[in-house]
């Protein structure tokens, strides 16, 4: 709502912009954007009175400028920003610029020493689909937390190949799990099925089965279930994942085809849980 109000103000439609600011204040009284919206309303009068612009005004102005002009100024604003909130604003504006140089600046912030700023920068790279930069961050950094953030962002970016590679080849259990969870977010059902049915360690296979539920892999879970008869723990996980994936009909089919009373009981418990 704030950015819509901003766009209206930039288009010279001040009355509509102010009406949207009023709605923002009324409908979202605790929003962190209210102060920005009120500043937006005051900007014309303040600029006329002082003859200058605040950093926020400069930032908003840069949104509509060509990258060659805006990027050096945004880099300077990022260096000069005194508060985390101000830095986050600059990163957000950089993420809206379709230029590799803007993404490179965000990547530099991701690898900086500020954990909160790094977390936002990595997330923005994921939303922007900057897979190459995220892979570079993951491979270069020795910070386990930053590696995990990069894996999460790769999931948001839909980078299934990179995540599958990390899930199969990382020597760190937590990173393998993070990569598998990223595959669940990205919908990498083929890679998850291979990991779940493969020779990975038990905990990684279990995470892959959980992630198949998140990814909506009903068909893959139903095909996998009978292959897990020798590992009851994973078979039970597959039933739970089917619940997450919404596979009620599949569970009913498994119940009808169950071979032992114990299996029928397990499936019945799962079905009752689905109904609840």
């Amino acid at each position: 709502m704030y950015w819509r109000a901003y766009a209206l103000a930039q288009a010279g439609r001040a009355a509509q912009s102010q009406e949207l600011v009023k709605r923002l204040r009324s409908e979202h009284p605790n929003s962190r954007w209210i102060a920005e919206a009120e500043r937006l309303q005051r900007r014309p009068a303040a600029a006329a009175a002082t003859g200058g612009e605040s950093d926020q005004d400069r930032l908003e102005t840069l949104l509509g400028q060509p990258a060659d002009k805006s990027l050096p100024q945004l880099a300077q604003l990022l260096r000069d920003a005194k508060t985390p909130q101000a830095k986050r604003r600059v990163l957000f504006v950089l993420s809206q610029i379709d230029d590799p140089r803007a993404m490179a600046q965000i990547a530099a912030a991701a690898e900086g020493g500020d954990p909160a700023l790094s977390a936002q920068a990595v997330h923005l790279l994921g939303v922007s689909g900057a897979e190459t930069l995220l892979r570079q961050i993951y491979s270069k950094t020795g910070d386990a937390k930053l590696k995990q953030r990069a894996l999460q962002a790769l999931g948001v970016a839909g980078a299934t190949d990179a995540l599958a590679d990390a899930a199969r080849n990382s020597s760190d259990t937590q990173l393998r799990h993070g990569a598998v969870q990223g595959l669940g977010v990205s919908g990498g059902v083929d890679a998850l099925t291979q990991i779940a049915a493969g020779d990975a360690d038990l905990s990684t296979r279990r995470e892959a089965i959980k992630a198949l539920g998140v990814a909506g892999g009903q068909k893959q879970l139903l095909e996998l279930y009978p292959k897990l008869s020798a590992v009851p723990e994973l078979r039970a996980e597959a039933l739970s994942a089917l619940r997450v994936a919404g596979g009620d009909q599949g569970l009913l089919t498994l119940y009808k085809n169950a071979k032992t009373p114990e299996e029928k009981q397990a499936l019945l418990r799962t079905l009752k849980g689905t109904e609840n």
Side-chain angles (χ1 to χ4, degrees):
M1 291 177 73
Y2 168 77
W3 287 112
R4 285 174 58 198
Y6 168 79
L8 288 166
Q10 288 294 95
R13 296 158 67 180
Q16 290 172 280
S17 174
Q18 291 182 14
E19 184 62 32
L20 200 54
V21 170
K22 289 179 183 177
R23 275 188 55 203
L24 174 62
R25 189 184 299 113
S26 173
E27 296 175 17
H28 305 282
N30 298 319
S31 171
R32 65 185 179 88
W33 289 99
I34 286 178
E36 305 297 340
E38 291 175 344
R39 188 178 293 112
L40 176 65
Q41 285 186 305
R42 295 194 300 268
R43 187 176 61 183
T50 64
E53 288 186 311
S54 69
D55 284 349
Q56 178 65 17
D57 295 335
R58 287 171 60 200
L59 188 60
E60 292 169 353
T61 300
L62 290 172
L63 273 171
Q65 294 186 356
D68 285 340
K69 183 175 181 180
S70 63
L71 285 173
Q73 296 183 60
L74 286 167
Q76 187 63 49
L77 279 173
L78 189 59
R79 287 192 292 269
D80 294 344
K82 304 300 183 185
T83 66
Q85 184 181 25
K87 290 179 184 291
R88 288 195 294 269
R89 289 195 200 107
V90 178
L91 287 180
F92 175 78
V93 173
L94 282 167
S95 74
Q96 304 306 298
I97 299 175
D98 186 16
D99 190 292
R101 294 170 294 177
M103 292 296 106
Q105 289 194 37
I106 298 174
E111 296 179 281
D114 183 334
L117 196 64
S118 173
Q120 190 206 11
V122 171
H123 175 71
L124 289 171
L125 290 172
V127 171
S128 301
E131 178 181 345
T132 299
L133 288 172
L134 287 167
R135 293 183 75 155
Q136 291 172 356
I137 290 169
Y138 177 81
S139 63
K140 284 166 52 182
T141 185
D143 184 332
K145 288 185 178 179
L146 182 54
K147 280 186 178 292
Q148 286 287 5
R149 292 191 194 109
L151 291 171
Q152 292 168 7
L154 283 165
V156 173
T160 55
D161 289 344
L163 290 164
D165 182 66
R168 294 187 182 108
N169 299 319
S170 176
S171 60
D172 184 291
T173 301
Q174 294 305 313
L175 292 178
R176 288 198 302 276
H177 291 182
V180 165
Q181 290 159 12
L183 283 168
V185 173
S186 69
V189 292
D190 291 340
L192 288 169
T193 303
Q194 291 174 11
I195 294 167
D199 57 1
D201 62 279
L202 187 65
S203 65
T204 300
R205 293 178 68 190
R206 182 194 299 166
E207 288 298 324
I209 291 170
K210 287 181 181 178
L212 275 170
V214 174
Q218 297 180 34
K219 176 177 178 291
Q220 291 79 8
L221 286 165
L222 287 169
E223 292 173 353
L224 184 63
Y225 175 80
K227 301 175 185 177
L228 300 174
S229 57
V231 193
E233 183 179 356
L234 295 183
R235 180 172 262 207
E237 198 65 66
L239 295 182
S240 297
L242 271 168
R243 287 181 57 192
V244 173
D248 295 8
Q249 290 302 316
L251 287 168
L252 282 169
T253 300
L254 291 177
Y255 178 78
K256 292 173 183 176
N257 295 332
K259 305 298 184 185
T260 66
E262 293 78 13
E263 186 180 359
K264 281 186 176 291
Q265 284 297 321
L267 283 156
L268 185 59
R269 287 193 296 270
T270 305
L271 284 163
K272 286 181 177 179
T274 302
E275 290 168 4
N276 291 336

